[in-house]
Amino acid sequence: MIHGQFLSDQGDLLITVAMRTESALERMRGLLGRPPLQGSEALWITPCNSVHSLFMGYPLDLVYLNRRLSVVKIIERMKPWRFSARPAAHSVIELAAGGATTVGITTGTQLVWQPCAG
């Protein structure tokens, strides 16, 4: 996985620790078997336009993005054993439940990906 951060297009740091998937296997695994996300940690699944929470033990916030990293849909506190999709989306950011509101992400927010150096 590639590590980085998400900023607003105004330069505000929104997500301090983001893991970006690099392979089909990482996309399929997602957060399964991983400890729950904390604070403004996130998993960015790309490409991706649908998510399931089968076998998850905790709820998540989902932030669907288009190719330009503009937020097109937000699902707050999706419970385990659910499905969610946005066919027009190109990727999804998974956050801890309540995380989208906490960091100030709303529909229409323009995000900027900043990979970590090294």
Side-chain angles (χ1 to χ4, degrees):
M1 287 201 198
I2 298 171
H3 289 78
Q5 304 172 319
F6 278 101
L7 292 82
S8 72
D9 60 348
Q10 306 299 314
D12 299 318
L13 182 60
L14 300 177
I15 299 173
T16 58
V17 178
M19 300 168 289
R20 178 179 158 189
T21 60
E22 294 184 272
S23 69
L25 183 59
E26 287 176 350
R27 288 191 303 274
M28 286 188 312
R29 178 178 177 198
L31 293 171
L32 290 174
R34 299 182 195 277
L37 297 167
Q38 302 295 313
S40 67
E41 292 178 330
L43 176 65
W44 183 23
I45 305 172
T46 182
C48 179
N49 65 6
S50 64
V51 172
H52 73 80
S53 60
L54 303 177
F55 307 103
M56 295 294 291
Y58 49 89
L60 294 170
D61 278 8
L62 307 176
V63 177
Y64 288 91
L65 306 173
N66 64 20
R67 289 183 182 273
R68 294 175 306 283
L69 303 184
S70 181
V71 177
V72 295
K73 180 179 181 179
I74 298 173
I75 302 295
E76 295 183 271
R77 302 178 191 281
M78 185 172 87
K79 295 177 183 177
W81 298 95
R82 303 291 194 278
F83 291 91
S84 175
R86 173 67 180 210
H90 182 260
S91 62
V92 178
I93 299 172
E94 296 182 341
L95 295 156
T101 299
T102 299
V103 301
I105 295 174
T106 60
T107 301
T109 299
Q110 179 65 52
L111 299 178
V112 176
W113 168 251
Q114 182 177 16
C116 289

